[in-house]
């Protein structure tokens, strides 16, 4: 074989390998971009910047004016959007808040907060409900908002605090 034939053979082997590597690398980059969309991209799975009022309207849980340490997050889903809300009620406000909400609350069994909800609360910068001590929980199903076709399913957890106040966590998802 001549030197020219070696180069042709080498290029015939190397060029397809380089192109295949570029394609595989590009597909990996696209898959990662799809699994971890940029914030505010509007793509499924992206965390979206919204106001606390938007999350309150979406979840049908509006923190009272006296609530403090309000934290919230909203995630755009493929089929279902989710909202996470956490706040602290001052002493004496819990009963009035629950009466206005119309949700029955009972003691929780074990650790009722699933990993998806925990991730949302972490993203919102809210305290971890699992570290709050004994939790009480409740849930409700609400009719669709005007202009929407999906109902809302919401779960909430409450934990009493030493000063008589309460910490509230709300996880809500629009359900078909």
């Amino acid at each position: 074989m001549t030197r020219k034939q070696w180069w042709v053979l080498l290029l015939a082997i190397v060029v397809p390998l380089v192109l295949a590597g570029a394609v595989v690398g590009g597909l990996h980059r696209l898959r990662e971009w799809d699994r971890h969309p940029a914030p505010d991209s509007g793509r499924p799975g992206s965390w979206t910047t919204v106001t606390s009022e938007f999350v309150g309207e979406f979840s049908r849980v509006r923190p009272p004016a006296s609530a403090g340490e309000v934290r919230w997050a909203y995630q755009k889903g493929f089929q279902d959007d989710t909202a996470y809300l956490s706040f602290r009620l001052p002493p004496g406000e819990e009963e009035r808040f629950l009466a206005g909400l119309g949700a029955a609350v009972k003691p929780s069994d074990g650790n009722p907060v699933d990993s998806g909800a925990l991730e949302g609360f972490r993203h919102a910068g809210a305290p971890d409900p699992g570290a709050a001590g004994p939790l009480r929980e409740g849930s409700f199903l609400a009719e669709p908002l005007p202009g929407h076709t999906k109902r809302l399913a919401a779960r909430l957890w409450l934990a009493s605090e030493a000063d008589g106040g309460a910490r509230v966590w709300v996880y809500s998802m629009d359900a078909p």
Side-chain angles (χ1 to χ4, degrees), residues 84-154:
Y84 307 87
L85 179 64
S86 175
F87 52 91
R88 185 184 185 291
L89 293 171
E93 291 285 323
E94 181 181 334
E95 286 184 34
R96 186 173 23 195
F97 168 73
L98 289 174
L101 193 58
V105 176
K106 62 180 177 68
S108 294
D109 295 331
N111 187 8
V113 184
D114 65 26
S115 61
L118 284 174
E119 178 188 347
F121 293 134
R122 278 189 212 111
H123 186 80
D128 183 353
L135 293 174
R136 292 165 287 139
E137 67 179 300
S139 62
F140 61 90
L141 191 63
E143 293 304 315
L145 289 170
H148 294 268
T149 58
K150 295 181 176 182
R151 297 174 71 176
L152 177 96

Side-chain angles (χ1 to χ4, degrees), residues 31-171:
R31 187 174 48 235
E32 285 301 304
W33 179 71
D34 192 44
R35 288 193 312 159
H36 305 288
D40 289 329
S41 66
R43 296 187 54 245
S46 67
W47 292 97
T48 306
T49 303
V50 296
T51 64
S52 63
E53 290 80 17
F54 178 89
V55 170
E57 182 178 327
F58 178 87
S59 66
R60 317 303 201 289
V61 177
R62 289 168 186 83
S66 60
E69 302 174 32
V70 180
R71 304 282 186 267
W72 66 94
Y74 184 79
Q75 189 173 30
K76 183 79 175 153
F78 176 68
Q79 292 180 337
D80 305 315
D81 296 349
T82 53
Y84 307 87
L85 179 64
S86 175
F87 52 91
R88 185 184 185 291
L89 293 171
E93 291 285 323
E94 181 181 334
E95 286 184 34
R96 186 173 23 195
F97 168 73
L98 289 174
L101 193 58
V105 176
K106 62 180 177 68
S108 294
D109 295 331
N111 187 8
V113 184
D114 65 26
S115 61
L118 284 174
E119 178 188 347
F121 293 134
R122 278 189 212 111
H123 186 80
D128 183 353
L135 293 174
R136 292 165 287 139
E137 67 179 300
S139 62
F140 61 90
L141 191 63
E143 293 304 315
L145 289 170
H148 294 268
T149 58
K150 295 181 176 182
R151 297 174 71 176
L152 177 96
R155 289 185 67 193
L156 63 121
W157 296 271
L158 292 103
S160 298
E161 295 194 328
D163 68 350
R167 175 76 57 183
V168 179
W169 294 268
V170 180
Y171 165 70

